[in-house]
Amino acid sequence: MNIFVAMDKDQLRNLAESGNFIPGIYNYCDRWCERCPLTSKCLNYATTEADFSDPESKDISNAAFWDKISEMFKITMEMIQEDAEKLGIDLTLTAEDREKFDTHEKAIKAAIKRNFCTRQAIRYTKIVNTWFDKSEVIFKDKGIELEGKVVMDLPGSDPEHELHLLTDAVDVIRWYQYQIFVKIKRALHGVVEDMTDPVEVEEGFPKDSDGSAKVALIGIDRSIGAWGYLMENLPGNSDDILDILILLEQLRKNVEAKFPDARSFVRPGFDKASSR
Ligand code: SF4
């Protein structure tokens, strides 16, 4: 039995049209909802909360979770179909369309794979894993050191806060580890697509590729900060961390060079028009 009271199409439309949300805010965020300062303005968050608020639904291994996903898929597809019909858009693809699309996508994928930013971002995902595998002992030692501080209860020492900061740094690194690559890939997809199949874009109109590159850059900036914290607070491992920081800094510069307008892209809700 499905335990959920489903949000139907009309409820979803009413919610979207309530005026309570910032349109498209979720397109250029980092999807870290637990840390997001704008959950109350996000339709994506609101629908997720409504649909997955039962504790059982939070468990990804629970069949009900996937029931809900497939239910949302059905509703969304119905809405797309209805909107397409209203706009007179035929969503059916012919075999020829499909073949053209596949060839086009293959060429784009190959170009993305060859790009230096992609290769650096992939390398980063790997060296982070290697570093964490190698550093188990260092974290264990740090844990012992912090436990000792708790026992000693020295004035001016706050081991719980230290642990909290350390955990935050690790969380930040892990959160962005793959996202940086994914966002760079998406940004490059837009660039290569524009080169192979140029679409008339109004001068000054924000490009999706710049938005994705900006999210990647934010992930890189925050990861650099988090690695800096680890370097200072996990002595004995600074050479390896320095190598990682150098790679991230090179990647940051390369992404900025490839997407010179990314930093000034205004993400709905998160940035102000003049911010960089
Ligand atoms: S905007 Fe915030 S709440 Fe919405 S999906 Fe992104 S991180 Fe989550």
Side-chain angles (χ1 to χ4, degrees), residues 211-256:
S212 298
K214 181 164 191 174
V215 180
L217 285 168
I218 290 169
I220 294 172
D221 294 346
R222 291 178 178 171
S223 301
I224 288 175
W227 280 113
Y229 183 82
L230 291 191
M231 188 153 86
E232 249 183 56
N233 291 280
L234 291 178
N237 210 352
S238 48
D239 283 355
D240 287 347
I241 294 183
L242 191 61
D243 288 344
I244 295 174
L245 281 169
I246 290 168
L247 175 64
L248 271 181
E249 176 57 6
Q250 287 171 338
L251 180 58
R252 188 175 73 83
K253 287 203 166 119
N254 286 327
V255 174
E256 281 177 344

Side-chain angles (χ1 to χ4, degrees), residues 13-27:
R13 270 196 209 281
N14 288 341
L15 201 60
E17 287 162 11
S18 66
N20 294 333
F21 306 107
I22 298 173
I25 187 173
Y26 41 78
N27 286 333

Side-chain angles (χ1 to χ4, degrees), residues 117-135:
C117 293
T118 313
R119 287 188 281 134
Q120 277 185 316
I122 291 177
R123 197 169 147 238
Y124 175 68
T125 63
K126 290 182 181 160
I127 65 169
V128 171
N129 284 340
T130 308
W131 186 84
F132 276 103
D133 288 347
K134 255 174 66 178
S135 304

Side-chain angles (χ1 to χ4, degrees), residues 50-101:
D51 283 333
F52 299 111
S53 53
D54 188 288
E56 206 179 348
S57 71
K58 299 249 183 214
D59 187 350
I60 205 163
S61 64
N62 192 308
F65 178 90
W66 298 110
D67 283 351
K68 193 69 226 152
I69 292 281
S70 101
E71 201 174 313
M72 285 301 287
F73 169 77
K74 250 174 59 197
I75 291 172
T76 309
M77 286 310 291
E78 279 171 30
M79 286 168 65
I80 292 172
Q81 195 66 47
E82 280 175 15
D83 288 345
E85 274 166 27
K86 269 189 225 153
L87 294 166
I89 299 169
D90 184 2
L91 292 173
T92 45
L93 276 181
T94 63
E96 196 191 340
D97 287 338
R98 253 195 298 268
E99 205 183 308
K100 241 168 92 183
F101 177 79

Side-chain angles (χ1 to χ4, degrees), residues 25-27 29-40 42-45 270:
I25 187 173
Y26 41 78
N27 286 333
C29 66
D30 61 10
R31 294 290 165 141
W32 202 348
C33 302
E34 279 173 28
R35 305 257 178 167
C36 181
L38 292 168
T39 51
S40 63
C42 178
L43 176 64
N44 188 53
Y45 186 81
F270 291 101

